[in-house]
Amino acid sequence: MPTTQRPAAAVAPEIAVSIVICTYRRPELLGACLDSLIGQQVGGASSGSAHEILVIDNSALAEGRPVVESRQAAFALRGVPLRHVLETGPGVSSARNRGVAEAVGELIVFIDDDERACDGWLERLLEPFHRLGDAVDIVAGEVEPDFGALPRPDWLADDMMHSFSCRWGWDSDSRFLREGEWFGEGNCAFRKRLMAGRSFSTDLGRKGDGLLTNEGMVFMEMRSAGAATYYVPSATVFHLIHPDRLNRRWLMRRMFYQGVSNRLTQRRYGLREQRWDFNVNLAKLADIDVETLEGEPLRAFIRLYYQLGYASALAMN
């Protein structure tokens, strides 16, 4: 009597990569970010490998949940698990730590909720891990500004883009980063094992509309301990420059808090602190309309506000 063979049960692919998106009260931007990830592929790995997407929602109102739920079916058709995780600890550092804890993959990828990935982004970002193996620990991509429906302001020069977390511009070709060359947390991939015994500092990262930064100091720790970092300019994301930031006053505030953040970071990790000799007449400073500045006078004010923030941090705990 002939026997009937049952079809072999489908084997769920192994999750090799976890994409983590930290979000806070920006459902429309989160939706655009997720839409840019549909169709992204791991590439290079074995056919049994896959990726997952974790949305870490840092708002108690969980505005990101319906955005995730509305797209889960589309990702499921492509074999990509998409999960919403609520993290009530305030700040992006708490969200990043939760993302690391929830991640299944040995490789973790960060992309921010106000960014959109270019076609082929994930495959390009992961390619150095496949090609160079253990010689690579961290991979960083490039960030291009997206001004939305607004034109780029005439005063906003290319060398000011770093203040908006855009255009690192280290090279036109892929290569290892050198000491002193940095990258943003919003477009990078790294081996999860590097986070053993480490975490993102919850008192240094962004919280709500605050501008304290440097939660990415953990990557500097990794690199100081020998983690090799590779730069891939073609692994590009587009970062929305929010309309309320397209003015010089926001830029001055941003640079002031960058100065505060840098000094607090240096003190925390026992790094050498900088010293400047400068005198400022605050009354005259307040009378200057920074919105009229451009070129070298604007650059001088950017440096001054950074130094003021750096000096102010001396009185902070």
Side-chain angles (χ1 to χ4, degrees):
M1 180 176 181
T3 58
T4 302
Q5 291 184 339
R6 296 181 179 179
V11 178
E14 178 185 358
I15 299 297
V17 179
S18 298
I19 300 177
V20 175
I21 309 170
C22 299
T23 189
Y24 179 75
R25 297 185 176 179
R26 299 195 287 204
E28 291 185 2
L29 293 180
L30 173 62
C33 178
L34 286 172
D35 290 344
S36 75
L37 300 182
I38 293 180
Q40 298 280 347
Q41 297 180 356
V42 171
S46 65
S47 58
S49 297
H51 66 282
E52 64 173 352
I53 300 175
L54 306 175
V55 174
I56 312 300
D57 196 336
N58 206 209
S59 170
L61 299 177
E63 294 96 328
R65 187 187 303 278
V67 178
V68 171
E69 291 176 347
S70 69
R71 289 162 171 80
Q72 283 176 322
F75 279 97
L77 287 173
R78 294 165 172 80
V80 178
L82 170 60
R83 287 199 287 139
H84 177 272
V85 179
L86 185 63
E87 172 52 49
T88 57
V92 67
S93 292
S94 295
R96 293 198 194 283
N97 287 333
R98 182 65 180 274
V100 170
E102 295 279 345
V104 174
E106 294 182 357
L107 294 176
I108 297 177
V109 174
F110 280 148
I111 183 172
D112 288 343
D113 64 352
D114 57 357
E115 295 176 334
R116 293 175 295 107
C118 73
D119 291 343
W121 162 76
L122 183 60
E123 189 168 0
R124 294 171 187 171
L125 192 67
L126 299 178
E127 188 273 341
F129 292 109
H130 306 317
R131 175 167 51 89
L132 301 174
D134 290 339
V136 174
D137 299 296
I138 305 169
V139 177
E142 186 56 276
V143 181
E144 285 293 323
D146 174 8
F147 296 100
L150 298 178
R152 173 177 169 173
D154 293 338
W155 56 265
L156 184 53
D158 284 345
D159 61 355
M160 300 175 188
M161 285 299 181
H162 284 183
S163 299
F164 294 87
S165 301
C166 293
R167 288 193 179 165
W168 313 123
W170 300 124
D171 211 326
S172 58
D173 297 321
S174 300
R175 63 167 173 81
F176 284 98
L177 286 182
R178 305 182 183 100
E179 185 178 356
E181 295 177 337
W182 65 89
F183 60 93
E185 298 82 50
N187 183 16
C188 67
F190 58 97
R191 299 188 186 278
K192 183 177 180 178
R193 57 176 171 76
L194 295 174
M195 289 298 297
R198 296 188 172 98
S199 63
F200 291 90
S201 297
T202 55
D203 58 341
L204 289 178
R206 296 282 178 89
K207 294 180 181 178
D209 295 327
L211 290 178
L212 281 178
T213 183
N214 286 7
E215 80 271 5
M217 186 68 187
V218 67
F219 289 117
M220 294 183 65
E221 285 186 4
M222 294 176 187
R223 296 178 69 185
S224 295
T229 303
Y230 203 79
Y231 170 67
V232 182
S234 62
T236 305
V237 300
F238 299 93
H239 175 215
L240 179 67
I241 309 300
H242 302 267
D244 60 354
R245 299 179 181 181
L246 287 175
N247 61 82
R248 299 166 180 86
R249 293 191 182 279
W250 182 90
L251 181 56
M252 298 306 150
R253 182 169 171 260
R254 163 76 175 84
M255 294 310 298
F256 179 90
Y257 280 101
Q258 185 66 62
V260 172
S261 301
N262 283 2
R263 191 160 198 177
L264 292 178
T265 299
Q266 290 167 355
R267 185 184 305 166
R268 164 78 59 80
Y269 293 97
L271 303 176
R272 183 177 64 85
E273 297 181 27
Q274 296 169 283
R275 293 287 188 271
W276 291 291
D277 291 323
F278 61 94
N279 294 311
V280 178
N281 187 317
L282 295 180
K284 289 184 177 180
L285 183 65
D287 286 339
I288 296 175
D289 183 3
V290 297
E291 292 297 342
T292 64
L293 300 176
E294 57 184 58
E296 287 309 314
L298 179 56
R299 291 182 178 88
F301 259 69
I302 289 173
R303 291 190 294 269
L304 175 60
Y305 271 76
Y306 174 86
Q307 292 170 347
L308 288 172
Y310 192 91
S312 298
L314 187 61
M316 298 182 182
N317 294 324

